[in-house]
Structure formats: structure tokens, C-alpha cells
Amino acid sequence: MAVYRSWWRLICRGVGLGVLLCVLTLSIAGATADQPKRVLLVYQDEMSLPAERAVDSGIRSVLGNKLEFQFYSEHLDQSLFPDPNFQAAQAAWFRNKYRNRKIDLVIAVGLVPQEFLPNTPTVLCGLDPAGLPHMTLPANSTAVWLSADFEGTLAAAARLQPTARQVVVLNGTSDWDRHIEVAAQKALPPRGTKWNINYWDGMSVDDIRSRLGKLPKDTIVLYVSIERDGAGHSYVPRDLLPALSGASSAPIYGLSDGFIGFGIVGGSVVSFEAHGKQAAEIGQRILHGEKPSEIRPVVSTSSYVFDWRQLHRFGLSESRLPPGSIVRFAVLSPWQLHRRWIVSGVAFILIQTVFIVYLLVLQRRRRRAESLLGYELRFESLVSGLSATFADIPTDRTGIEIEKALEKLREFLDLDRVSLFDSNQDDSHFGLRCTANIAGVPLGLKSFSRDEFPWFVESLRQGKNCVIRSPADLPQDAQKERAFLVKRDYRFLAIVPLRGAGLSVGSLVFISFHDGMWTDQVIQQFQVVSEVFANLLVRTRIEDGLLESQQRFQMMADTAPVMIWMAGTDKLCTFFNKQWLEFTGRNLEQELGNGWSENVHPNDLARCLKTYVSSFDARLPFTMEYRLRRADGDYGWVFDNGVPRFTPAGEFAGYIGSCIDISDRKRAEEGLLDLSGRLINAQEEERARIARELHDDFSQRLALLAIQLGQVSQRLPNSDRALIQSLHIMWEKTTELSADVHKLSHRLHSSKLHHVGLLAAAKSLCEETSRHHELQIEFAHGDLPEEIAPDVALCFFRIIQESLNNIVKHSGAKRAQVNLSTEDSRICLRIVDAGVGFDTGSRKARAGLGLASMRERLRIMGGSISIRSRPMEGTEIQAEAPLPRVAVESNSPSSLGIHGGGTGGI
């Protein structure tokens, strides 16, 4: 029993010891598994070489961001220390250094000993197999070969230079240089070519540069590598390229994408970074358990890459490049760079042109006084538009916008040329910056100086305008200027100095080759425009470093002859210029945000804010007119023009706007409205008077004549039947004439309108017209107020009357519709017929008095009318006007041309 117990104890102790050993073994294995893999990167040279850095970047882009790998990096510096004994001793030192540290993978870049760490898995890269004495790899290694595509590069060169007969190969004397040269010698010359191959591999860099400058232009120069020249000087191959390319009279081709952009035309180049990535991917497979001997070596691929600048330097056609070639550093055309701005600018010019044409049409229709006001308004709008455009113009678009502005100015002033000249610091020389010419005029001066035109320059320096309407206007001492004007045959020349903020920045030159009226008022306009351009040029100079951007904008805005405002993306105003503040008599703090609205007339505020907010939300330009309180407390009319602002990136930045005072124009328009109202009132009074005369006088006299004829016919004997029949016919004609006079009196002035209102009078008019002219009229109406102001009722009654007369006389329609309704405190009228229609744009339609009378009546009422018609498609007339409250005094018929006396019996 004791023996069994002893055996049992021994068994338990053995089992426990075995479990303990298993636990310790698993712990050690786990600790080993948690340790990162060690990767040693060995480079032929230091990292100052771009190719070494590119390979390193590619390796680390694959392996460097993973915690499971730990990197070690060594450099052999072979280009600086090429001695074989030193390199062997250095390799032995590195082996000793890593003797006690387990390395899982070696990635050798360049001419590194193939067994740098014996028995360690190794990936060789950065070597051209054609440059090696043998292709045998160590047992525990594989490779990513760097195969330079000499044939592809020379094939591309042959396409670009088909007349070439000589190839010059540039190479150095370092081990790497010789390695690549061996590969080149095996590949050159390509089969099927008869080129003369010259290797410049033992020369100094100075000799190479000297000989490159003497080469024929049709020579093909192939740059391989120069880490050390024949004189023993060491170089970075890429950094040497700009000097060689600058000295060469023939294009230089290369084999590395790192050379692109440093002087070579291009070629079939290899990417060292992609090469490094390939080596890292194979190394990753080895670290994950694959054996190097089972991984077949791979070769890096090349691609055609070219430098656009070098192609154009040597006149090489891009169309001759191999298919699929990549062209770098191409210079884009202005259209490709600024397409959106050019399209926007052209659209802006077209809009402005349409607006100017519209103003010119109005100018011909208005009287001379209105024409002058319209001309001044267009000029102020032009100046306002230029000021608003220049206020927020980016620096890179200054030249484009100046050209557009000069063209607008030339067209507006009907000149043959408008030019802008910049001046130097002492104002002795003026150089042309931008110009706008009409087609067919001779070329102008590119510059002028004090030596060429002393009188012009001296006048400009003194701030005086030079206005020459004929050579006789020049003083006696201006002989050079007189000879110049006679030679050029200028009929008018004005040179206006550009001065602002105490600086002289240039001049504006206005030239005409035809006769014209160049009054002092036009010269004053030149001065106003010059201030705008002067402010722009001053701001441009300030943007070069003189003042902050806010100060530049403030100066230009405050000197502009218009009121300017700006708003942010939150609809709150952030800026008002000095003209605005002087107009309102308030300070900037009072106007900021929504403070400006406090000065808007209460009757205009809701409409003004509605236009502002709706345009702001839609990011659309807007124009509006409203009354704004002046500094003296009175209200003045202003014309406000707002446009959205966008950043160069296209992001919405707010609004900018300009205002001009149009109080004088409004007073003139009010005078015209008053005159039109009086004329219409006089017309209605005259119609009422004639209606009374017809009704009270002629109608009664005709009635008396009819009675007398009846009495005479009754007194005659029955035997005289022929005479009785004649008198009866005369009595019928007289009665019919009396009825016609009665109807004419009713058409001239309807008493129903005064007694029963617009709705009943309109309905009666439709029924009467339908009854007498075989025209079916459908009359419909909505809920109209019981009382409508007499002037409004009369206006719409006359429109219905005139429209029905036109339908009867001209349309030939058999059906018509008349609809009266109200909407948003406005009375609306719609008249439609299915007649022959007419061309609303024809001269006959525009010259019609009936349509003109309708428009004028509605314009006085503050309403509007639209007429839509086409030949054979009928006509539709829509009119609307506000419904004012019926005042007690408005019921006076005499004040509105409505008279009830004498026609009450109609």
C-alpha cells in the first residue's frame, strides 16, 4: 500500500511538471510572436539622391505604416567612398553590427553586396540586369530588376527627330554610372538604325557643357547618369540636368521620371517610387512566410512621359509623341484658365448692350428734356456699373475688366479709340496698358514720353486736361504735338490725367477720327470717368503693398460719384460709402445691419424689402426705385442696382449695390403724368360737354322736328297720299337720326357709369354692343367692391369701350370674353377675342391712338397693361390697377371729368 502511494506521488509530480513546461513554452512562443519583424534597408548611397528617396518613399508607403514591422536603414556611400577595400571593411562592420540582432528581411537598393547578411532573406532592387556580369542570384534572395528602356526612349526620340543621325550618351565614372553604361552598350544601337553612337563618359562637366552647345540641333542626346565626372567631381545626377540642358543646342532625353521637369524632353522613363513599392510588396510576401527562392524576379515597367516646355523649346511636335504619352507642365490657354469669367463677362456686356439700346429707343420717343435726363441717367448708370464692378474686382481680372470698361466707354461716347496709359514715378513716361478700338482705325501709340511730346506730358504733370479739337488749339511751343496731330489726322483728342489719393497713376486718352460735338459737358464726363479709372489704378497699386484691402475699397468707394453699399451672406449691410452717409446725414453705425431701412419711406418699405429679400434668396441681380430720407429731412428718389458677389471658388459672398439720385427725373415724370392726367381730364370734360349738347340741344330739336312733321302730315287731306307718305318717311328718318344722336351721346359719356357703377355700366355696354353688332360677348365678373373710385371706374370703362370698338372694327371675331375681378387690392380686367389678331411690334400697332390712350390712362392710375396677339391667333388684353380708397372729395364728378347733367335721360 505504501508502494502504491509513492508511485502515485511521483506520477502527480510528473504531470504537474509537464503542465508547467507547456505553460512556459506557450508563453515564450507568444512573446516571440508578438515581437515585430525586423527589416533592414541598405542603400548604395546617402538619401540626398532623389532616386534613393523615391525608392525609400515607395518601400515605406507599403510597409512603413504597419506596427508589425520595425525598420533599420544603412547607407554605403559608394559615390563618395568608392574604394573597394573601404566598402569591404564597411560591409564587415555592418555584419558585425547586426550579429546579435535577428534580421527578418534585407532590401538592398543599388550596387549593394548580394549577400550583405548571409542566410538572411534578401530582395535586390535598383539594378539593371543588363549591367551585371552575371544573372545568378544568391540562394535566399530574389530581385526587382530596374530595366532601363533605352530602345523605347530612342524610338520616341526618332519619332520626334526623324532627321537625326547621331546619338550622344552622357555618362559618369562612378560604379553606378558604369553599371548603367554597360546596360546601355548592350541595348545600343537599336536594330534597324544607322546612328553614330558616341559615349561621353570620361569628360568633366565643363567639357560636356561646352561640347553640348556645339552639337547640331538634330542630334539625340541621351542622359544616363553622372554621379562622378571625368575630373573626379561628385554630383547629384538630377541637379546637374538644368545646367546641361541650358547649355545644350539639342534636346536631351532621359530614363528616370525624376528627371522630368529638370531639363530633359522625356522618354520611356521608370518610376523609382513604383520600383520601391514592387520591392516592398515582394518583401511583404517573404515576411508572411513565402521563400525568396520561390518568388520569381520581376522587372519594373516604363512609361512615356514628356515635358511640354522642352518640347516647345526645341520645336518638337506633340503629334509625333508615341500613343499614350503623358505630357506634363503644359501651359493652359487663357480660355481654359478663365472660361467661366470670359463667358460671364460676355454675358454682362450683352446685358449692358441691351439695356443701352433700350434707353436709346426711349430717348427717341421722349421730348428733348427727357432725352437729356435719359442720357445723364445712362451715363450715371455706366459710371455706377463701373464703380460697382471695380469695387470688388480681383487683382488677376483687373486687365480684363479694364478692357471691357474701355469698350463700353468707347461705345457710349461714340469714339474711335479709348486708351489707358500707366505712368512711371516721375510722370515722364506713359506706357499703354489697355485700349479699345473700333475696327479699321490705324494703330495707336504704345507709349509716349516727355522727349516726344513735352507739352502733353507737362500738362499732365500739372493735372491739366489736354483737349484738342483742331491743331489751332495747341500753343506755339507745342510744335511736336501739332505735327503729330496733322500726321495722324485726328479730329478730336483728349488726354485726361488719372490722379487719386495724391498719386499720379496714368492718363485716359480719347480719340476720334470723325467730326462730332465735343462740348464742355462731355469733357466733364471724361473727368468723371477718369476718377473711376484713377481710383482703380490707385487701388491696384495699393494692393501691391501700400494699404490693407479695406482701406483700398474705402478710398475708391468714397471718391465714386455714386452711393455704394455692401451686404453679407446674412442679408445684413456691412458697408456704406461716404456719398451714402452724406446723402442720409447719418453715421456708419446707424446704417449697418438693417439700420438703413429706417430712412426708407414707409409707403415704399414693404415693396423695397420684398424685392431685396427675394432677389437675395435667388442670388439674382435686382433694380428698384424708392424714396430715401435726405440729411435735410426731405425724401429723395434713388435708383438702386444690386448684384450678387461670389468668391473665386464660386461661393456666395453677399451683395454689392450702387444708388444714384433720380429725384430730378421723378419730378419730370410726375410733371408728365400731371400733364397727361389733365389732357385726359380735358378730353373727358369735352366729351361730356359734347354729349350734353347732343342730348339737350340737337336731340330735343330733332324730337321737335319729328313732332312738327307728324302734325303737318295729319293736317293734309287724305287725297294727297304721296305727300303724306313722303312726310312719314321724313318723320322716320328724323326719329332714326334722333336715336343715333342719342346713342352717340351715350358713347361719348355714359351716365350709367356715374349712377349705377362700373360693373353695371360694363355689363350694359357689352349687351348693347352684342345686340347691335352680332357679336356674342360673354361677360363675367368676380367680387368687386360696392364703391370704386370714379377715376378708376372711368379708366376701366374706357378700356372696355375701346377694346370692344376694336373687336367690332378690326378683328372680325364672332365671340369675345370680358372678365372683371379683384386680386390683392387690385382691379383686373381681361378681354379675349378669337379674331384675326395683329402684330404688336408693327409700326401701325405702336402708332394707334386707342392703345396709347389705354396705356396712358393706366400709367396715371399706377397700373399696367399687356397685349398679346399674333396674326390669325386672336388678341388678349390684360389690365390691372390698384384700388384706392374712395374719398369724399373723389365723388365730385367735375373733378374727374364725369358730368351727370343733361345726360340723365339717356
Side-chain angles (χ1 to χ4, degrees), residues 21-90:
L21 290 174
C22 290
V23 171
L24 291 175
T25 302
L26 292 175
S27 300
I28 294 172
T32 303
D34 292 339
Q35 291 182 353
K37 301 284 187 179
R38 296 186 177 96
V39 180
L40 174 59
L41 306 179
V42 183
Y43 294 93
Q44 171 185 330
D45 286 300
E46 60 177 343
M47 298 301 290
S48 61
L49 297 179
E52 304 281 352
R53 293 198 300 270
V55 173
D56 186 74
S57 175
I59 293 173
R60 295 181 184 273
S61 67
V62 176
L63 301 177
N65 58 353
K66 299 180 180 180
L67 298 178
E68 57 183 310
F69 303 130
Q70 182 178 358
F71 284 92
Y72 299 87
S73 181
E74 302 294 350
H75 309 274
L76 302 183
D77 297 328
Q78 289 187 7
S79 62
L80 298 177
F81 305 98
D83 182 34
N85 295 329
F86 172 79
Q87 290 295 326
Q90 182 179 226

Side-chain angles (χ1 to χ4, degrees), residues 565 580 596 600 604-615 621-627 637-642 658-660 662 665-666:
W565 57 267
W580 178 289
W596 63 275
V600 179
D604 299 338
L605 181 59
R607 172 179 54 83
C608 177
L609 291 179
K610 181 179 179 181
T611 301
Y612 176 77
V613 172
S614 61
S615 301
F622 67 86
T623 58
M624 59 183 176
E625 297 178 0
Y626 55 89
R627 286 165 288 183
W637 281 95
V638 296
F639 176 78
D640 197 341
N641 181 18
S658 60
C659 302
I660 56 175
I662 59 171
R665 193 195 75 183
K666 280 292 184 180

Side-chain angles (χ1 to χ4, degrees), residues 137 296 460 638 745 779 783 821:
L137 293 175
R296 297 183 61 182
L460 294 176
V638 296
S745 173
F779 179 78
D783 295 331
S821 62

Side-chain angles (χ1 to χ4, degrees), residues 846-906:
R846 294 195 301 269
L849 294 178
L851 297 180
S853 175
M854 293 182 191
R855 290 191 178 96
E856 196 63 24
R857 287 178 182 274
L858 285 168
R859 190 166 70 92
I860 295 173
M861 296 293 102
S864 62
I865 186 172
S866 65
I867 302 174
R868 288 191 290 271
S869 181
R870 289 184 180 180
M872 307 310 297
E873 294 185 11
T875 303
E876 179 183 2
I877 298 176
Q878 290 186 342
E880 63 175 21
L883 277 173
R885 294 183 178 180
V886 181
V888 175
E889 58 271 24
S890 67
N891 292 328
S892 173
S894 61
S895 67
L896 300 166
I898 301 175
H899 299 271
T903 60
I906 297 177

Side-chain angles (χ1 to χ4, degrees), residues 617-683:
D617 293 337
R619 309 289 192 261
L620 295 175
F622 67 86
T623 58
M624 59 183 176
E625 297 178 0
Y626 55 89
R627 286 165 288 183
L628 189 66
R629 187 164 49 222
R630 293 194 183 96
D632 58 5
D634 293 334
Y635 284 94
W637 281 95
V638 296
F639 176 78
D640 197 341
N641 181 18
V643 294
R645 296 184 296 120
F646 296 93
T647 65
E651 298 179 355
F652 177 64
Y655 264 72
I656 184 170
S658 60
C659 302
I660 56 175
D661 188 353
I662 59 171
S663 300
D664 293 339
R665 193 195 75 183
K666 280 292 184 180
R667 283 192 288 269
E669 291 178 353
E670 290 174 358
L672 289 175
L673 285 176
D674 181 64
L675 177 60
S676 298
R678 292 184 181 184
L679 290 175
I680 291 176
N681 189 45
Q683 181 189 28

Side-chain angles (χ1 to χ4, degrees), residues 172-434:
T173 60
S174 70
D175 291 344
W176 171 257
D177 298 338
R178 296 300 186 191
H179 171 73
I180 296 298
E181 184 178 10
V182 170
Q185 290 173 348
K186 292 181 179 180
L188 301 179
R191 278 181 267 176
T193 62
K194 298 180 180 180
W195 289 332
N196 182 20
I197 310 296
N198 297 317
Y199 291 90
W200 293 2
D201 54 358
M203 302 180 187
S204 66
V205 169
D206 292 337
D207 291 341
I208 292 175
R209 291 181 61 188
S210 176
R211 295 181 66 177
L212 282 174
K214 300 176 183 179
L215 288 174
K217 292 184 178 180
D218 60 351
T219 303
I220 297 174
V221 180
L222 179 60
Y223 181 77
V224 179
S225 173
I226 300 180
E227 290 187 350
R228 185 169 61 247
D229 66 354
H233 299 131
S234 297
Y235 299 95
V236 175
R238 188 189 71 180
D239 297 345
L240 187 59
L241 262 175
L244 298 179
S245 176
S248 178
S249 60
I252 300 177
Y253 300 85
L255 303 167
S256 170
D257 69 338
F259 294 164
I260 302 296
F262 290 86
I264 69 169
V265 172
S268 180
V269 298
V270 65
S271 170
F272 279 93
E273 184 174 357
H275 186 71
K277 289 181 179 180
Q278 284 182 289
E281 290 169 354
I282 291 178
Q284 191 174 29
R285 292 168 58 186
I286 294 173
L287 292 172
H288 287 163
E290 291 190 50
K291 294 181 180 180
S293 59
E294 297 177 354
I295 300 176
R296 297 183 61 182
V298 297
V299 180
S300 295
T301 59
S302 301
S303 59
Y304 285 109
V305 183
F306 295 89
D307 189 333
W308 183 90
R309 298 168 298 183
Q310 294 298 320
L311 289 172
H312 281 257
R313 173 191 170 190
F314 292 102
L316 304 177
S317 175
E318 291 184 51
S319 62
R320 292 180 174 270
L321 293 177
S325 297
I326 299 172
V327 179
R328 296 180 182 173
F329 311 111
V331 179
L332 299 179
S333 66
W335 170 254
Q336 292 172 316
L337 289 173
H338 309 291
R339 180 185 306 171
R340 184 180 63 183
W341 292 106
I342 293 174
V343 172
S344 300
V346 171
F348 180 76
I349 292 176
L350 292 176
I351 293 173
Q352 287 293 101
T353 304
V354 172
F355 181 65
I356 292 174
V357 171
Y358 174 72
L359 291 178
L360 291 175
V361 172
L362 288 182
Q363 183 182 14
R364 290 194 293 268
R365 294 182 179 180
R366 298 293 180 181
R367 292 188 294 178
R368 185 175 181 81
E370 289 179 304
S371 175
L372 180 59
L373 289 175
Y375 176 81
E376 293 176 352
L377 175 61
R378 283 186 284 108
F379 177 76
E380 291 172 354
S381 298
L382 176 63
V383 174
S384 173
L386 294 179
S387 299
T389 301
F390 291 164
D392 201 31
I393 179 176
T395 304
D396 59 343
R397 288 192 55 81
T398 301
I400 297 175
E401 294 299 336
I402 288 178
E403 290 181 356
K404 296 177 183 177
L406 291 178
E407 182 61 24
K408 295 178 189 175
L409 190 60
R410 185 197 65 75
E411 293 178 355
F412 181 84
L413 298 174
D414 193 24
L415 292 167
D416 295 320
R417 177 183 296 129
V418 179
S419 302
L420 176 66
F421 288 81
D422 286 326
S423 64
N424 59 3
Q425 293 183 353
D426 60 352
D427 293 340
S428 62
H429 184 273
F430 292 79
L432 179 65
R433 180 166 183 169
C434 297

Side-chain angles (χ1 to χ4, degrees), residues 506-532:
S507 63
L508 269 178
V509 179
F510 305 87
I511 296 174
S512 177
F513 291 91
H514 62 273
D515 296 327
M517 296 295 295
W518 311 107
T519 63
D520 293 338
Q521 182 182 5
V522 175
I523 305 304
Q524 183 63 33
Q525 292 176 348
F526 292 171
Q527 187 67 39
V528 172
V529 171
S530 70
E531 293 177 2
V532 177

